Amino acid sequence: MKKLVPFLAACLLLVLSSYIRPMAGYQVGDKAANFKLKNVDGKMVSLSDNKTAKGYIVVFTCNTCPYAKAYESRIIDLHKKYASQGYPVVAINPNDPAIAPGDSFAAMQTQSKSKSYPFPYLFDETQQTAQTYGATRTPHLYVLTRQGSSNDFKVSYIGAIDDNSEDAKLVKTKYVENAMTEILAGKPATTNSTKAIGCSIKWRKA
Amino acid sequence: MNFLKLTALAAALFVAGPSPAHAQQVALIKLPELQKRLSRNTDTTYVINFWATWCAPCVKELPYFEQVNTTFAKQKVKVLLVSMDYASQLDKKVKPFVAKRGLKSEVVLLNETDPNSWMDKVDGKWSGALPFTLIINNSKQKRAAFEKEFTQPELTAAVQQFLK
């Protein structure tokens, strides 16, 4: 019986140490769920709207996070570079404005207008999309690739934009661009999952 | 008389206020130094919180980590606050913040740029969101990771688990 105690303690610890939200979410290769979210122009946007897109660069981001701000112009550049090659950016703000007032829908409209976002900026009001995708922080990026001519999309890359959030000029590895080069060539990305620091998504208090 | 009172008040504030000369140092450290800290083979329970001055939920829970020092003053518990601010912000932001808050826990700043190259070496369960907390006791071979905000009772309970 005495030997059982450390064993049970170890089990408890195992349970404790896996207490990380959200455990679910996508891995590379998973089928990505469609969504229908309100854009800053008031129209609903979903993955199935754009029939010509080969895929999407979906970025969970927001107005307020310093990391999201640091990457804002780089996200615009990604759209400029890849939209014409069939992979437009779709930005999604998943934050609860009750916790982050600067991430309200009205503030999103102001932000998107002032920086002339060339892509939709969607509000994930229920946070369902961020939870389904397994986003934990802003920015958190997913490259989705259309399967054949269907409306099914597969996750081809998850993670960071590049290796230097503070200074775009000091970037050595452009993680998402490297992945895009391979994806556009019809190959799986060699480095398909990367990590980055970001602001925790402001989940609605239960 | 009023002038005297004001002078006395100003003097009292000066004495009581945080004096930069006595403010704790915030060391810039690289990954190997942090790894060394995480792998120390002692019976001390380390509570390692990754935070940043710009991270609102982190700043909110800092007092709870400070409280750990008091709550567990008689046990072998040590708090390490690892700032994820940019190294360029050390003098401008981090040191003034630490002084203003009068933080008693040790504070270091992890001076690394590419999180993808080091994050898994800190903990594979960390996706990159802040705040993030590790509680480690190497001689008991116990380790727990929390990518979430704590309430004070939650943090106390989590540390307590390591002292049984």
Side-chain angles (χ1 to χ4, degrees):
Chain A
M1 186 59 197
K2 271 205 164 149
K3 275 185 182 162
L4 204 61
V5 174
F7 173 74
L8 287 175
C11 288
L12 182 68
L13 191 77
L14 205 68
V15 171
L16 263 180
S17 59
S18 53
Y19 184 69
I20 286 182
R21 180 185 183 173
M23 278 306 283
Y26 292 148
Q27 307 287 320
V28 168
D30 286 351
K31 186 181 170 224
N34 199 354
F35 47 75
K36 196 170 187 184
L37 299 171
K38 190 161 76 170
N39 190 12
V40 283
D41 65 4
K43 293 181 184 141
M44 302 302 282
V45 168
S46 78
L47 293 177
S48 47
D49 293 343
N50 183 341
K51 304 289 179 207
T52 59
K54 293 179 191 164
Y56 292 95
I57 299 172
V58 174
V59 193
F60 293 90
T61 187
C62 68
N63 296 339
T64 53
C65 172
Y67 276 68
K69 287 185 197 170
Y71 275 114
E72 186 181 41
S73 63
R74 280 176 263 185
I75 292 168
I76 294 172
D77 289 345
L78 283 175
H79 180 81
K80 288 181 178 161
K81 183 165 181 181
Y82 294 108
S84 59
Q85 300 183 68
Y87 284 80
V89 163
V90 175
I92 301 176
N93 165 30
N95 283 345
D96 178 7
I99 301 169
D103 290 322
S104 69
F105 186 68
M108 288 172 62
Q109 290 175 311
T110 309
Q111 187 68 17
S112 127
K113 198 176 257 177
S114 77
K115 294 291 165 69
S116 311
Y117 284 4
F119 44 75
Y121 187 22
L122 313 179
F123 186 32
D124 185 11
E125 197 171 0
T126 64
Q127 307 186 317
Q128 189 65 55
T129 304
Q131 286 195 15
T132 305
Y133 277 60
T136 60
R137 59 175 193 272
T138 53
H140 201 152
L141 182 146
Y142 295 74
V143 176
L144 312 181
T145 309
R146 191 189 293 274
Q147 299 304 289
S149 55
S150 70
N151 266 331
D152 289 343
F153 292 87
K154 208 182 74 180
V155 179
S156 298
Y157 174 86
I158 301 176
I161 293 169
D162 58 41
D163 67 356
N164 194 312
S165 55
E166 183 178 19
D167 192 344
K169 290 190 284 294
L170 297 178
V171 167
K172 291 194 195 86
T173 311
K174 295 183 173 181
Y175 291 118
V176 70
E177 295 201 27
N178 292 349
M180 282 307 300
T181 302
E182 293 177 300
I183 291 165
L184 285 166
K187 291 184 284 196
T190 311
T191 302
N192 59 22
S193 196
T194 56
K195 288 189 171 182
I197 293 287
C199 304
S200 56
I201 287 176
K202 304 300 176 274
W203 301 108
R204 192 179 294 191
K205 301 267 183 252
Chain B
M1 187 59 190
N2 270 343
F3 176 75
L4 263 180
K5 266 188 189 166
L6 269 176
T7 317
L9 187 67
L13 279 175
F14 183 76
V15 172
S19 131
H22 294 103
Q24 70 149 299
Q25 293 298 305
V26 179
L28 284 180
I29 65 166
K30 300 294 278 183
L31 180 70
E33 170 67 23
L34 179 63
Q35 284 178 298
K36 213 160 72 187
R37 300 285 198 102
L38 300 185
S39 58
R40 256 182 212 159
N41 194 18
T42 74
D43 193 34
T44 297
T45 297
Y46 280 87
V47 181
I48 302 132
N49 172 244
F50 295 81
W51 67 288
T53 57
W54 48 260
C55 164
C58 306
V59 170
K60 188 180 158 208
E61 67 175 8
L62 278 179
Y64 312 153
F65 287 92
E66 287 286 279
Q67 182 64 37
V68 164
N69 295 313
T70 319
T71 309
F72 300 99
K74 294 203 172 103
Q75 275 114 324
K76 282 192 268 178
V77 176
K78 189 175 180 323
V79 176
L80 177 64
L81 303 174
V82 183
S83 161
M84 298 306 301
D85 287 87
Y86 298 132
S88 62
Q89 302 298 309
L90 178 67
D91 290 331
K92 245 183 287 174
K93 278 216 175 133
V94 183
K95 282 182 178 174
F97 180 95
V98 169
K100 191 176 159 210
R101 300 268 167 157
L103 297 184
K104 302 281 190 295
S105 311
E106 183 183 1
V107 184
V108 295
L109 188 151
L110 183 61
N111 181 20
E112 296 284 356
T113 47
D114 178 15
N116 188 55
S117 70
W118 57 258
M119 200 176 290
D120 280 342
K121 293 173 191 161
V122 173
D123 197 285
K125 293 187 213 79
W126 188 10
S127 84
L130 292 179
F132 178 75
T133 301
L134 284 174
I135 307 180
I136 296 177
N137 185 309
N138 286 326
S139 70
K140 288 183 182 148
Q141 298 191 329
K142 281 179 135 191
R143 182 183 178 107
F146 305 86
E147 191 166 44
K148 64 164 213 157
E149 292 168 44
F150 278 106
T151 63
Q152 182 133 12
E154 280 171 351
L155 181 60
T156 307
V159 177
Q160 207 101 52
Q161 286 293 330
F162 279 72
L163 302 173
K164 282 177 181 169

